[in-house]
């Protein structure tokens, strides 16, 4: 009979891994024996392939071993998520995830459980959006003898934690491999020698280099679009998102305009196979869709290469690219993630004309002020009228924060304004296009007290203020870009006034200056 959890194999996983470890040990012993007792050509032609074979077939413990894994399951189980903790030690799509939830099986009573599962990133994202959701049955634990209580904590030593996986028993796998290899090598002894006379070819060394396959972004996108066209006559005009990765695991979502569901497809370049088509609930509607024709002017491979050339050198490792709208009726953008390590990760955008957004260093005040002026001009906001409520430059995402805002986690430039019609903001982060937000209509028809014109501040004044703040705070030169500076109307020295505030360095004190750069006081 079939099961939602997939077909079970005849042997338990531990037995299968032990058998693989023993076979790997035998192959490894043969490789070492033949290589040690014979000339270089036998070692090269026989020993090296056997060594590689042993490494390939030997089991390797993984962080997700012993956990529930997403398999081919069409059955979705309703759950109410209470807590979810997802590991992020690496950039893998599937991560150990600790879940506490109430499970509501169809035609059965609810039960509460806490368990570890190997959860893919898209599933985790869905769960984080809505606690009342469904999970594939392959990610659901069986009903325990006693449901997890709401009142009583878990007894010490019995809690399900990340440290419990992989099981310590997985350490036996490499031990079995080594023991079998040593036993075979020592037991055969001189019997490994093959009596054959081979000529000396004069080869001193041979280098064998293994490289990971690389994938072409344009081909990946074209492959997704071809598959989307097989979903229906209107599918290519109802695309919600396209996503490609550096390792060839690509996906797409299409809106079914008849049911309001998303049709999701996934492709693995490694196996050259499409996963079964899935249908899922979604809150996204027609204003978030785009047409395949919208991408006609986007050379995705060239875009990826240009992005890679402009991001910081330490981040020049392409990871993923997602094509989507950021909101209803917003422009279609391709957003790419670069950087293998967490601390090196950055993202950068390109529009449907194939233009890559400017990557800049916000700590270069002259560049930031110039880009802010361009941003205001494109939005039709005058720079010579006193309508600015706040002008901020954040040199680095790790800078201390003066005021929360759109660039708090990215760095960049931010302008908040109130003109005679409305209040809003313009922001621009490195690698992103300018973003305009309208807060509200200006029903009073008056400008705010303390507003100032963009032309009243300058890069030279901001640099003067930063230099003085660095001197007062003994900030090292290499921390020069670790700065948050803004001009705004604030309460200082018992009165409201338009001033420049700055926090400079890793552990700064907020300092206050006049608009012409004269020191006033610490905050």
């Amino acid at each position: 009979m079939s099961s939602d959890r997939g077909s079970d194999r005849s042997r338990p996983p531990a037995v299968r891994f032990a058998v693989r470890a023993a076979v790997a040990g035998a192959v490894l012993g043969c490789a070492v024996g033949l290589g040690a007792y014979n000339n270089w050509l036998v070692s090269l032609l026989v020993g090296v392939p056997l060594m590689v074979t042993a490494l390939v077939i030997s089991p390797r413990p993984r962080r997700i071993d012993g956990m529930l894994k997403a398999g081919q399951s069409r059955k979705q189980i309703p759950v109410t998520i209470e807590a979810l903790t997802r590991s992020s030690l690496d950039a893998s799509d599937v991560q150990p995830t600790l879940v506490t939830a109430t499970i509501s099986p169809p035609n059965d009573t609810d039960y509460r459980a806490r368990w570890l599962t190997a959860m893919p990133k898209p599933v985790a994202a869905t769960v984080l959006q809505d606690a009342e959701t469904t999970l594939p049955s392959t990610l659901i634990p069986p009903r325990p003898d006693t449901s997890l209580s709401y009142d009583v904590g878990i007894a010490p030593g019995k809690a399900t934690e990340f440290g419990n996986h992989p099981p310590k028993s997985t350490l036996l796998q490499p031990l079995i491999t080594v023991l079998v290899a040593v036993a075979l090598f020592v037991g055969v002894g001189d019997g490994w020698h093959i009596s054959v006379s081979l000529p000396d070819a004069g080869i001193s060394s041979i280098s064998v280099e293994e490289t990971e396959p690389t994938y072409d972004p344009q081909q990946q996108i074209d492959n997704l679009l071809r598959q989307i066209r097989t979903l229906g006559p209107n599918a290519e005009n109802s695309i919600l998102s396209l996503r490609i990765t550096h390792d060839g695991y690509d996906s797409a979502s299409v809106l079914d305009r008849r049911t309001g569901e998303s049709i999701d497809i996934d492709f693995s370049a490694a196996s050259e196979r499409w996963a079964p088509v899935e249908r899922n609930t979604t809150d996204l509607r027609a204003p978030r869709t785009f047409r395949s024709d919208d991408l006609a002017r986007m050379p995705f491979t060239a875009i990826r290469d240009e992005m890679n050339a402009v991001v910081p050198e330490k981040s020049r490792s392409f990871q993923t690219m997602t094509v989507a709208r950021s909101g209803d009726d917003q422009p279609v953008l391709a957003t790419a993630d670069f950087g293998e390590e967490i601390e090196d990760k950055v993202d950068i955008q390109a529009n449907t004309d194939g233009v890559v957004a400017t990557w800049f260093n916000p700590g270069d005040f002259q560049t930031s002020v110039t880009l802010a002026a361009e941003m205001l001009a494109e939005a039709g906001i005058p720079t010579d009228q006193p309508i600015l409520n706040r002008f901020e430059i954040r040199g680095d995402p790790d800078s201390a924060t003066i005021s929360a805002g759109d660039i708090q986690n990215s760095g960049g430039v931010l302008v908040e304004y109130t003109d005679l019609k409305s209040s809003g903001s313009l922001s621009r982060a490195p690698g992103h296009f300018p973003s305009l937000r309208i807060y509200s209509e200006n029903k009073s028809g008056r400008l705010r007290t303390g507003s100032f014109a963009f032309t009243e501040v300058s890069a030279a004044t901001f640099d003067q203020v930063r230099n003085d703040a660095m001197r007062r705070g003994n900030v090292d030169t290499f921390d020069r870009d670790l700065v948050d500076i803004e001009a705004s109307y604030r309460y200082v020295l018992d009165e409201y006034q338009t001033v420049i505030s700055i926090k400079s360095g890793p552990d700064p004190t907020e300092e206050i200056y006049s608009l012409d750069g004269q020191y006033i006081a610490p905050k």
Side-chain angles (χ1 to χ4, degrees):
M1 296 177 62
S2 62
S3 170
D4 287 326
R5 297 185 182 276
S7 58
D8 295 331
R9 300 185 181 182
S10 57
R11 297 174 181 168
V15 175
R16 296 200 306 271
F17 286 139
V19 171
R20 284 181 57 188
V23 172
V27 176
L28 180 62
C30 292
V32 175
L34 292 171
Y37 282 87
N38 296 280
N39 60 38
W40 66 267
L41 192 55
V42 174
S43 300
L44 177 64
L45 298 179
V46 181
V48 171
L50 288 175
M51 184 75 71
V52 173
T53 301
L55 293 176
V56 170
I57 66 176
S58 61
R60 287 171 290 277
R62 301 179 302 166
R63 296 170 62 223
I64 61 175
D65 283 347
M67 299 181 188
L68 295 172
K69 301 179 181 68
Q72 299 298 327
S73 173
R74 297 183 179 180
K75 186 174 182 180
Q76 299 285 322
I77 306 298
V79 296
T80 301
I81 303 298
E82 301 172 26
L84 185 144
T85 305
R86 182 173 167 84
S87 173
S88 58
L89 290 179
D90 56 46
S92 301
D93 184 68
V94 179
Q95 294 281 4
T97 305
L98 184 60
V99 182
T100 302
T102 298
I103 302 167
S104 306
N107 304 317
D108 203 347
T109 57
D110 297 355
Y111 63 95
R112 187 168 179 261
R114 184 184 188 199
W115 72 98
L116 273 168
T117 177
M119 184 175 290
K121 186 176 181 180
V123 176
T126 300
V127 169
L128 290 174
Q129 289 178 356
D130 188 358
E132 299 283 347
T133 185
T134 61
L135 289 177
S137 61
T138 50
L139 293 181
I140 300 295
R143 181 187 295 273
D145 294 335
T146 303
S147 181
L148 185 65
S149 172
Y150 288 93
D151 302 317
V152 182
I154 301 175
K158 297 182 180 180
T160 301
E161 299 294 346
F162 286 109
N164 303 142
H165 288 268
K168 294 180 180 178
S169 60
T170 55
L171 296 176
L172 292 175
Q173 299 166 14
L175 181 61
I176 291 173
T177 300
V178 173
L179 290 178
V180 172
V182 171
L184 187 60
F185 173 72
V186 175
V188 175
D190 292 338
W192 291 115
H193 178 67
I194 300 175
S195 298
V196 61
S197 178
L198 297 171
D200 183 3
I203 300 177
S204 58
S205 64
I206 293 180
S207 176
V208 179
E209 183 177 354
E210 295 184 7
T211 58
E212 292 186 359
T214 57
Y215 300 98
D216 182 84
Q218 186 65 57
Q219 294 179 4
Q220 291 174 273
I221 293 291
D222 291 344
N223 187 42
L224 288 172
L225 293 178
R226 280 194 299 271
Q227 189 68 12
I228 286 173
R229 293 185 185 104
T230 68
L231 301 178
N234 198 43
E236 65 176 327
N237 300 324
S238 305
I239 303 172
L240 289 171
S241 67
L242 304 173
R243 183 176 186 269
I244 61 174
T245 70
H246 71 100
D247 49 8
Y249 290 94
D250 307 329
S251 59
S253 291
V254 175
L255 179 67
D256 187 333
R257 295 175 184 262
R258 297 172 304 170
T259 66
E261 297 175 310
S262 68
I263 305 174
D264 302 324
I265 57 175
D266 296 274
F267 178 74
S268 169
S271 62
E272 296 185 349
R273 292 181 179 177
W274 291 94
V277 176
E278 294 186 358
R279 285 181 170 270
N280 295 293
T281 57
T282 178
D283 295 331
L284 305 182
R285 293 295 181 259
R288 292 292 287 269
T289 64
F290 59 93
R291 301 163 53 92
S292 61
D293 293 345
D294 295 334
L295 313 181
R297 296 186 304 277
M298 299 184 74
F300 286 95
T301 302
I303 288 173
R304 188 274 313 273
D305 293 342
E306 183 178 348
M307 289 175 167
N308 191 69
V310 300
V311 298
E313 186 174 355
K314 65 179 181 179
S315 303
R316 291 176 183 172
S317 175
F318 172 71
Q319 299 299 307
T320 69
M321 181 183 290
T322 301
V323 183
R325 297 185 191 272
S326 61
D328 289 354
D329 298 318
Q330 292 299 303
V332 179
L333 296 174
T335 304
D337 295 314
F338 286 81
E340 288 187 277
E341 305 299 329
I342 293 178
E343 61 272 17
D344 298 334
K345 288 188 177 299
V346 298
D347 59 87
I348 182 170
Q349 297 175 335
N351 63 20
T352 51
D353 291 324
V355 177
V356 175
T358 302
W359 187 272
F360 66 100
N361 172 21
D364 180 346
F365 287 166
Q366 184 60 60
T367 298
S368 292
V369 170
T370 299
L371 289 175
E374 293 176 359
M375 179 173 66
L376 290 168
E378 290 174 2
I381 298 176
T383 59
D384 57 351
Q385 297 181 15
I387 60 174
L388 268 59
N389 308 320
R390 173 183 173 191
F391 175 52
E392 177 187 10
I393 300 177
R394 185 168 175 79
D396 189 277
D398 294 327
S399 303
T401 302
I402 296 177
S403 305
D406 292 343
I407 60 173
Q408 182 173 346
N409 297 320
S410 62
V413 294
L414 170 69
V415 174
E416 292 184 348
Y417 69 93
T418 299
D419 59 20
L420 297 178
K421 296 181 179 180
S422 62
S423 293
S425 70
L426 274 167
S427 62
R428 186 168 193 170
H432 283 237
F433 293 104
S435 174
L436 172 64
R437 296 175 59 193
I438 303 298
Y439 297 152
S440 61
E441 180 184 355
N442 184 3
K443 296 182 179 179
S444 68
R446 297 190 300 269
L447 300 180
R448 289 179 57 174
T449 303
S451 297
F452 55 96
F454 180 77
T455 52
E456 293 183 60
V457 295
S458 67
T461 301
F462 272 22
D463 272 323
Q464 174 187 329
V465 168
R466 173 167 56 181
N467 291 337
D468 187 70
M470 290 178 66
R471 179 184 61 80
R472 293 177 183 275
N474 295 318
V475 177
D476 294 312
T477 303
F478 53 77
D479 283 328
R480 182 174 179 82
D481 292 340
L482 206 61
V483 61
D484 193 9
I485 185 170
E486 72 172 35
S488 59
Y489 186 61
R490 306 186 62 182
Y491 190 75
V492 179
L493 296 180
D494 300 327
E495 64 175 331
Y496 281 96
Q497 42 185 318
T498 304
V499 296
I500 297 175
S501 308
I502 185 171
K503 286 186 176 181
S504 176
D507 188 23
T509 298
E510 185 175 347
E511 306 286 356
I512 308 297
Y513 295 77
S514 64
L515 275 186
D516 60 0
Q518 302 303 309
Y519 182 73
I520 296 178
K523 178 70 167 61

